[in-house]
Amino acid sequence: MSETTATALKFAAGIILAIVLVGIAIMVFTPAADSAKSVTNDFTNNTTELQDQKYLMYDNTVVSGSQVINAIRKFKGQEGEIGVQVTTGKSTNWYLSEFNKEADTITELQTDLVNATTNNHVDYINPSGMFDAVIERDKNGVIRGIKFKQQ
C-alpha cells in the first residue's frame, strides 16, 4: 500500500468519524433542546400566574368598601399598569389608571383618595358597603383593570 493511499484512507476515516460524532451530538442535543424549551415555557407560565395572583383575589368576589380602598392603596405606584374602577350608588370613578377595554388602552391618572374617603362627597366609598369585583383583561390576556360595583 502506498503512502498516498494510506493518507487518503486516514483522511476518509477522519471524515467518517467526524460525521458520526456530529450525528451523535445531534441525537443527544435535540431532545435536550426540546426539554429546555418546555421548561422555559413552564417557567414563563408560572411567573405570569404568580404576577397575576395579587389581582386574582378580586376576580368574581364580593369585597367590602374598606377592601376596595385598600386595593387602591396597595396598587399605588402601578399607574399605567392597572386601573381600579369603583361604581357606587352615586358615581363611577377610575383610580390609578383608566382602562378602555374596547380601545385596549390604559391611561395613567393622578390618584387621590380624599374624595373617596370624605363622607359627604359624591365619590365616597362606604367602608362597610359591599362590592362585586371583576377582573378586566386586555386583548393579550394581561390584567389591566379591576372593577368594583356596589351591591
Side-chain angles (χ1 to χ4, degrees):
M1 193 151 84
S2 74
E3 191 175 308
T4 306
T5 307
T7 304
L9 285 174
K10 288 180 186 178
F11 182 72
I15 290 176
I16 291 172
L17 183 61
I19 290 172
V20 168
L21 289 176
V22 168
I24 291 172
I26 289 172
M27 288 188 322
V28 168
F29 290 116
T30 299
D34 291 340
S35 295
K37 285 180 188 176
S38 175
V39 169
T40 301
N41 288 341
D42 289 346
F43 181 75
T44 302
N45 291 340
N46 288 340
T47 302
T48 302
E49 187 176 319
L50 285 173
Q51 288 173 339
D52 289 352
Q53 195 62 42
K54 61 187 169 190
Y55 306 123
L56 291 175
M57 65 184 285
Y58 299 105
D59 195 19
N60 295 317
T61 59
V62 176
V63 296
S64 69
S66 62
Q67 288 174 301
V68 172
I69 293 169
N70 287 338
I72 297 168
R73 288 181 178 141
K74 177 181 179 180
F75 302 129
K76 179 93 172 123
Q78 295 181 24
E79 293 88 348
E81 295 175 32
I82 187 82
V84 177
Q85 183 187 59
V86 181
T87 302
T88 64
K90 296 181 181 179
S91 72
T92 297
N93 239 353
W94 280 98
Y95 297 90
L96 307 174
S97 303
E98 182 174 349
F99 176 59
N100 183 331
K101 188 170 185 168
E102 289 75 35
D104 202 37
T105 59
I106 189 160
T107 307
E108 186 175 327
L109 302 172
Q110 296 296 321
T111 300
D112 185 5
L113 283 174
V114 172
N115 294 340
T117 56
T118 302
N119 194 6
N120 58 356
H121 196 277
V122 69
D123 294 333
Y124 178 65
I125 300 171
N126 184 346
S128 59
M130 298 307 289
F131 291 79
D132 294 317
V134 293
I135 297 295
E136 292 282 321
R137 295 178 185 268
D138 67 11
K139 65 180 179 182
N140 296 319
V142 177
I143 296 174
R144 293 294 184 187
I146 305 170
K147 290 186 174 183
F148 297 101
K149 185 174 182 181
Q150 192 168 16
Q151 295 179 335

